[in-house]
Amino acid sequence: MTDLRSLKTLLAVVEYGSIHLAARSIFISHSTASRQIRALEEHYDTTLFERSSSGVFPTPQCLAVADFARRTIAESELLADSFGEYSGSIETVSIVTSTGLGQTVVADAINRLMRTTDRVQISIIDRGSVEALQVLRNRQADVCVNFSMSNHELGTLPGVRKVAEVEAANFAILADEHPLADRPSLFISDMTDFPVGALPAGNTARMRIEQAVRAQGQVFSPTLEATCPVLMVRSLVGTSMIAMMAGRTIPTNLNAIGCKAIPIIDQDIESRFIQILEADPRRESHGLDLVIEALQSSL
């Protein structure tokens, strides 16, 4: 019997034309997605995707399986809805997070959780750091996985309780042939002479870059703004642009596409932390307990 999760993965790969991007879009690891595609190919005894350096392309057999997948998933959802009280026993937990943390910490946690239970349904809300906190305070989400500045005291915010926190290391991401690529570490002053890739305005990481550049007496004007770390890194290849990212948001295929990460050591940059926050008071939920446990294990 074909697994519904594998069919959902196949549809994502068809849509994105990349196993790596598809895996991130549905918050599973690249290895899990590859394993699911291989299992489908073995099950149907056919090649579902043609591989090339520019991505993967569905074969005619794959398109037939994709049609089957759409019908099967739709019918499964209708069946679950018809169960009434039974379907209500599946707990839904809502997580608000940024794109970068969603593709790393949250994706790892969901993968870990799905290996232990099928009684928890996860809803992901993608927001910037500042807006994510407001979503949690408004109780529109159960959990928030967020970046925070070192001087941001959450204990004074009503409706929010901090569960866990780890410091996020900062890295400059640049192409292997970049003039600064041989440096063991970088300062903000090293980076201001080059084009900069940054997250959209209002994001915590973006604000930290702006503050550090202003401390150098310069105006921050990014060449590229992007919410997706994968897109940001791919845009660096063969250019002199530099992007700054927290260690956990750096795509795993960095070396394969010709880029490297160099630690940033600069007194003008405040320490930053990855935090797991929950709505206070929290609702009683075994599913929520499992989600929090999985997130803590992923930090």
Side-chain angles (χ1 to χ4, degrees):
M1 180 177 180
T2 305
D3 177 55
L4 287 177
R5 294 173 189 166
S6 297
L7 293 178
K8 290 179 180 178
T9 300
L10 178 134
L11 292 178
V13 176
V14 170
E15 178 182 356
Y16 284 90
S18 163
I19 294 178
H20 182 73
L21 293 178
R24 289 186 175 279
S25 74
I26 57 177
F27 300 101
I28 64 174
S29 67
H30 182 280
S31 60
T32 297
S34 297
R35 184 169 62 252
Q36 290 174 338
I37 296 300
R38 285 197 301 271
L40 286 174
E41 290 181 324
E42 292 174 0
H43 177 77
Y44 292 109
D45 192 26
T46 189
T47 299
L48 296 177
F49 293 95
E50 297 292 343
R51 278 76 170 174
S52 74
S53 59
S54 59
V56 295
F57 303 92
T59 63
Q61 295 90 335
C62 176
L63 295 178
V65 175
D67 288 338
F68 165 76
R70 295 186 187 96
R71 294 194 304 271
T72 302
I73 292 169
E75 291 173 1
S76 175
E77 290 173 350
L78 287 173
L79 182 61
D81 289 342
S82 71
F83 286 156
E85 293 182 0
Y86 175 77
S87 64
S89 66
I90 299 178
E91 295 186 76
T92 298
V93 177
S94 180
I95 304 173
V96 59
T97 189
S98 64
T99 301
L101 289 175
Q103 294 175 341
T104 52
V105 175
V106 176
D108 290 343
I110 292 174
N111 184 266
R112 180 177 286 104
L113 182 68
M114 293 300 101
R115 295 183 184 190
T116 61
T117 180
D118 59 357
R119 310 309 300 162
V120 179
Q121 185 177 57
I122 304 296
S123 173
I124 303 294
I125 303 173
D126 191 335
R127 295 290 187 274
S129 297
V130 176
E131 191 179 354
L133 191 59
Q134 190 60 48
V135 168
L136 184 67
R137 292 178 64 185
N138 292 342
R139 303 189 69 81
Q140 296 170 307
D142 299 299
V143 184
C144 174
V145 181
N146 208 355
F147 285 117
S148 176
M149 305 292 284
S150 58
N151 61 355
H152 190 63
E153 182 49 61
L154 289 169
T156 62
L157 293 178
V160 175
R161 186 175 78 87
K162 183 165 62 178
V163 177
E165 177 181 83
V166 296
E167 187 168 3
N170 301 298
F171 292 88
I173 313 301
L174 38 77
D176 288 341
E177 64 272 21
H178 194 282
L180 302 179
D182 293 332
R183 300 279 189 92
S185 61
L186 292 174
F187 293 92
I188 288 295
S189 58
D190 298 322
M191 302 167 57
T192 53
D193 291 333
F194 298 93
V196 176
L199 296 167
N203 181 275
T204 305
R206 166 70 174 269
M207 290 188 290
R208 296 169 76 243
I209 299 173
E210 292 175 343
Q211 292 168 358
V213 172
R214 282 199 300 270
Q216 302 293 326
Q218 300 190 37
V219 176
F220 182 72
S221 179
T223 301
L224 172 67
E225 293 185 354
T227 58
C228 177
V230 176
L231 173 61
M232 182 79 75
V233 169
R234 291 182 67 88
S235 300
L236 299 174
V237 179
T239 76
S240 61
M241 186 165 62
I242 302 176
M244 190 175 84
M245 295 184 186
R248 289 181 180 271
T249 64
I250 298 173
T252 56
N253 65 335
L254 196 63
N255 293 334
I257 62 177
C259 291
K260 63 169 51 178
I262 300 177
I264 297 175
I265 304 174
D266 199 301
Q267 62 182 2
D268 291 322
I269 299 182
E270 296 181 85
S271 297
R272 188 167 63 146
F273 300 85
I274 299 173
Q275 297 177 328
I276 299 174
L277 314 170
E278 64 179 12
D280 185 25
R282 61 172 289 180
R283 65 184 176 94
E284 293 298 323
S285 164
H286 177 60
L288 181 54
D289 290 337
L290 294 176
V291 169
I292 291 291
E293 181 181 345
L295 287 170
Q296 288 176 310
S297 298
S298 296
L299 285 182

